């Protein structure tokens, strides 16, 4: 298949060049103005970008209390399909989806982006990840055997928790390095000890996994970065010390601007500015847990407005996101890479209304929209 008469976004320069793109099987085989081929799709001068990558979603996060477990699964089916239709072809789930979702996608039972799962968020007793219910006394409000117990106390239990996740099919290990926003507001911030943090990252490394760390405060982000996590998620209240620790230890930043309450917006944007000034690599994530869902297209608009600009925002959701997730086969429009592609109306490098501009979406060379 030939996708002709398009402008391809060049990630390094931030420019778009008129060209044609040849796709064979699941791969891009040629890119150039003189490239020809069969089954031509005329892009009418539109912008062709790589399939978008959301590095922080919750496609199957528990919703309202009292509903059967099946509602979480069935909602996820619709969510996954909607994400792919909006140009999002790869996602990293940050708590909620189990390995069965990956199997269903692979078998074609359901439709959606490629899915990397972390299963549940590890945490010490009382931390974010310990879903204890004070009203009923239940120790696990999720209570799903496909999502193993995530609570630990002490380094040995932390290692065991990592092993449980790996055994159940986790691609990533999710760690609660600090409290949720609501707990912080109440003065509750139960965090892992440094020894526990290092045990999690070391055991994950031994199993060939990376660690993503929920951390709102500077203290949580600093400790997690020093322990060797791959990415800091949220980081609403970073400071110079936290950013220095992230830079020293090669840590990524996934800011998730979209779901954070407006009263913390200024502090969050300051954290992003500190990270940018320090050269911290930034990848895009929407944090899809709150309902109604706010997905990556909104996050890109916020990232652009916060200082990345449209080119930087698109990089954060394509080539840089692929680097964070160690997915070397996607994230750019280049020969040899997987043909995850999104065709937008018009040549403008603009992210303010991506949803309204999508003309077609390809995933691994197959047209899935348009």
């Amino acid at each position: 298949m030939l996708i002709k008469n398009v402008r391809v976004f060049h990630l390094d320069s931030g420019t778009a060049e008129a060209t044609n793109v040849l796709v064979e099987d699941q791969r891009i085989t040629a890119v150039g103005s003189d490239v020809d081929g069969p089954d031509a799709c005329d892009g009418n001068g539109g912008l062709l970008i790589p399939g978008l990558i959301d590095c922080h979603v919750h496609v199957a996060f528990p919703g309202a209390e009292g509903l059967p477990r099946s509602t979480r699964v069935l909602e996820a089916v619709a969510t996954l399909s909607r994400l792919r239709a909006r140009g999002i072809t790869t996602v990293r789930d940050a708590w909620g989806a189990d390995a069965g979702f990956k199997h269903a996608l692979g078998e074609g039972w359901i439709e959606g982006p490629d899915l990397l799962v972390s299963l549940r968020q590890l945490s010490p007793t009382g931390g974010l990840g310990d879903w204890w219910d004070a009203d009923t006394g239940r120790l696990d409000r999720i209570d799903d055997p496909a999502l193993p117990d995530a609570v630990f106390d002490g380094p040995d239990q932390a290692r065991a928790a990592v092993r449980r996740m790996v055994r159940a099919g986790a691609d990533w290990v999710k760690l609660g390095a600090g409290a949720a926003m609501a707990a912080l507001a109440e003065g509750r911030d139960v965090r892992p000890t440094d020894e526990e943090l290092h045990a999690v990252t070391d055991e994950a490394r031994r199993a060939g996994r990376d660690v993503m760390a929920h951390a709102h405060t500077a203290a949580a982000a600093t400790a997690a970065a020093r322990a060797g996590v791959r990415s800091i998620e949220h980081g609403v209240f970073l400071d110079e010390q936290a950013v220095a620790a992230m830079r020293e230890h090669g840590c990524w930043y996934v800011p998730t601007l979209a779901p954070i309450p407006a009263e913390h917006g200024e502090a969050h944007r300051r954290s992003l500015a500190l990270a940018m000034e320090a050269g911290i690599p930034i990848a895009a994530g929407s944090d899809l847990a709150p309902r109604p869902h706010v997905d990556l297209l909104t996050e890109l608009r916020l990232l652009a407005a916060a200082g990345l600009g449209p080119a930087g925002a698109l990089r954060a959701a394509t080539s840089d996101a692929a680097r964070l997730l160690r997915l070397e086969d996607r994230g750019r429009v280049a020969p040899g890479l997987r043909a995850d592609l999104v065709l937008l109306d018009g040549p403008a490098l603009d992210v303010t209304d991506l949803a309204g501009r999508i003309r077609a979406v390809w995933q691994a060379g197959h047209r899935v929209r348009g």
Side-chain angles (χ1 to χ4, degrees), residues 11 15 25 43 80 121 144 161 202 223 283 308 316 326:
L11 299 160
T15 60
D25 297 324
L80 286 163
Q121 181 161 263
D144 187 336
D202 181 65
L308 269 70
R326 304 189 193 277

Side-chain angles (χ1 to χ4, degrees), residues 27-345:
R27 301 280 168 176
I28 300 167
T29 55
V31 178
S33 57
D34 58 345
V35 170
D36 199 3
D39 302 324
C41 167
D42 191 341
N44 294 315
L47 186 68
L48 188 70
I49 64 174
L52 299 172
I53 301 171
D54 192 333
C55 295
H56 192 123
V57 303
H58 297 275
V59 298
F61 204 64
E65 284 290 305
L67 294 175
R69 184 188 304 162
S70 58
T71 59
R72 181 173 64 87
V73 177
L74 294 171
E75 182 190 26
V77 173
T79 299
L80 286 163
S81 177
R82 180 176 62 87
L83 290 178
R84 191 175 70 169
R86 289 166 68 83
I88 301 161
T89 53
T90 302
V91 297
R92 178 181 63 168
D93 192 87
W95 180 1
D98 61 54
F101 289 89
K102 292 185 60 175
H103 182 76
L105 287 164
E107 292 292 324
W109 300 342
I110 60 175
E111 298 178 346
D114 276 14
L115 179 64
L116 303 175
V117 297
S118 61
L119 306 183
R120 292 189 69 165
Q121 181 161 263
L122 275 59
S123 85
T125 298
L128 183 61
D130 180 7
W131 272 34
W132 177 71
D133 192 319
D135 292 329
T136 66
R138 283 184 296 160
L139 298 181
D140 185 357
R141 287 197 287 138
I142 295 179
D143 192 25
D144 187 336
L147 299 172
D149 180 19
V151 178
F152 61 81
D153 289 294
D156 289 344
Q157 288 189 17
R159 290 183 183 275
V162 172
R163 292 170 184 171
R164 287 194 294 272
M165 298 302 151
V166 172
R167 179 180 62 187
D171 302 298
W172 279 74
V173 173
K174 174 74 179 297
L175 173 64
M181 295 297 291
L184 287 175
E186 297 169 2
R188 295 184 292 108
D189 187 13
V190 178
R191 296 192 283 118
T193 66
D194 289 345
E195 292 78 9
E196 290 169 335
L197 288 170
H198 282 275
V200 168
T201 56
D202 181 65
E203 194 62 35
R205 189 177 301 110
R206 282 162 47 86
R209 305 298 194 274
D210 289 308
V211 178
M212 56 191 298
H214 169 109
H216 284 302
T217 67
T222 301
R226 288 173 175 169
V229 303
R230 175 78 169 164
S231 62
I232 295 295
E233 313 292 308
H234 314 305
V236 178
F237 307 110
L238 299 181
D239 60 14
E240 288 80 1
Q241 183 182 33
V243 168
M246 292 168 68
R247 182 178 61 239
E248 179 183 354
H249 295 277
C251 189
W252 286 72
Y253 183 31
V254 182
T256 69
L257 298 175
I260 301 302
E263 60 264 31
H264 302 303
E266 184 176 348
H268 204 175
R269 289 188 291 273
R270 178 179 178 273
S271 295
L272 179 59
L274 285 174
M276 292 172 60
E277 291 168 7
I280 305 298
I282 295 166
S286 65
D287 196 6
L288 201 66
R291 293 167 175 83
H293 289 318
V294 178
D295 70 25
L296 186 63
L297 304 191
T298 298
E299 181 70 16
L300 294 186
R301 175 173 54 80
L302 295 175
L303 286 172
L308 269 70
L314 283 173
R315 277 196 299 271
T318 53
S319 60
D320 286 348
R323 286 174 53 214
L324 166 61
L325 303 184
R326 304 189 193 277
L327 299 175
E328 299 178 357
D329 65 339
R330 67 199 73 181
R332 294 176 291 121
V333 181
L337 299 189
R338 210 173 83 148
D340 290 349
L341 302 165
V342 180
L343 177 61
L344 303 175
D345 269 329

